[in-house]
Amino acid sequence: MEFLRSVVPFHPMPEIRTGMVLLRPPALSDFAAWASLRAESRAFLTPWEPLWPVDDLTRGAFKRRLRRYQREIRESTGYPFLVFTADGRQLVGGLTLSHVVRGVTQSCSLGYWMGAPYAGKGLMTAAVKAVIPFVFDTLRLHRLEAACLPHNAASIRLLEKAGFSREGYARRYLCIEGRWQDHLLYAIVSDDPRP
């Protein structure tokens, strides 16, 4: 067991605070705010996300989500955050670091969603910029990757403002809104200038 710990480092989830946002791991007490914001934002989010399971906004599904997150944190393969206003009172979205790969790759993938009432206010850009030091300085990864639909102008702007570079185009890369769709591929590496 000690050998495994040295190979796969465990990093507890931090709270990350900036002047605009607070990022922290989700808790069961967040269910009502999370379900309400996701329900209110459903039409806004649907074009950019995988199909939602029928029970997605139920307490049971949220508990399953939290169990999966806890396993990923324990195994150092994923790090979920909810994004709040700087005072921590208002949930505005979520951000996840997933598919953490060690060895020669030292990389992970970034995903995020923003509640419709808070879109276009710079909050997710602030959240993405805030998580970059956690990726490179705490997790000690070399590469942070993200993908977005070619017609998602807001996501393209966000990634470029956060210091990501466009690296490619992946045909039928992710199943979004029930169909395989092309994506633009972005990345930032540890020795790139920080935003």
Side-chain angles (χ1 to χ4, degrees):
M1 191 61 136
E2 188 58 39
F3 170 74
L4 288 178
R5 281 199 188 100
S6 67
V7 173
V8 181
F10 173 75
H11 296 283
M13 291 291 295
E15 272 194 3
I16 301 171
R17 189 180 296 270
T18 74
M20 287 186 73
V21 292
L22 166 70
L23 282 70
R24 69 163 174 75
L28 189 55
S29 59
D30 296 315
F31 169 70
W34 177 87
S36 175
L37 183 59
R38 295 281 295 174
E40 175 184 3
S41 304
R42 187 173 196 136
F44 173 74
L45 294 171
T46 297
W48 320 115
E49 294 192 351
L51 292 177
W52 294 14
V54 174
D55 69 341
D56 196 47
L57 299 181
T58 65
R59 183 175 289 276
F62 191 73
K63 285 180 179 179
R64 286 191 302 276
R65 181 183 297 265
L66 291 181
R67 281 195 296 273
R68 186 182 79 240
Y69 288 160
Q70 290 165 352
R71 183 181 68 249
E72 290 170 354
I73 294 165
R74 195 173 51 251
E75 295 172 355
S76 298
T77 59
Y79 299 90
F81 293 92
L82 290 180
V83 180
F84 294 84
T85 52
D87 61 10
R89 293 185 183 150
Q90 187 62 54
L91 175 66
V92 299
L95 180 153
T96 304
L97 302 171
S98 61
H99 306 109
V100 176
V101 179
R102 294 293 177 174
V104 297
T105 303
Q106 296 293 327
S107 68
C108 71
S109 297
L110 169 70
Y112 46 86
W113 65 273
M114 176 60 63
Y118 308 102
K121 300 181 188 308
L123 295 168
M124 190 53 70
T125 302
V128 170
K129 287 180 179 180
V131 85
I132 290 172
F134 176 68
V135 170
F136 295 138
D137 302 336
T138 303
L139 298 180
R140 299 220 170 272
L141 296 174
H142 172 67
R143 180 178 179 81
L144 177 57
E145 300 172 335
C148 68
L149 292 164
H151 56 279
N152 190 342
S155 209
I156 291 168
R157 272 193 314 275
L158 181 158
L159 291 169
E160 291 175 353
K161 281 183 185 177
F164 285 71
S165 297
R166 188 182 303 190
E167 294 190 332
Y169 190 91
R171 295 178 314 119
R172 293 184 283 290
Y173 184 62
L174 297 173
C175 189
I176 301 297
E177 203 180 8
R179 63 188 192 281
W180 291 100
Q181 297 195 48
D182 300 349
H183 279 69
L184 299 175
L185 304 179
Y186 281 83
I188 184 170
V189 295
S190 58
D191 53 359
D192 280 346
R194 301 277 175 98

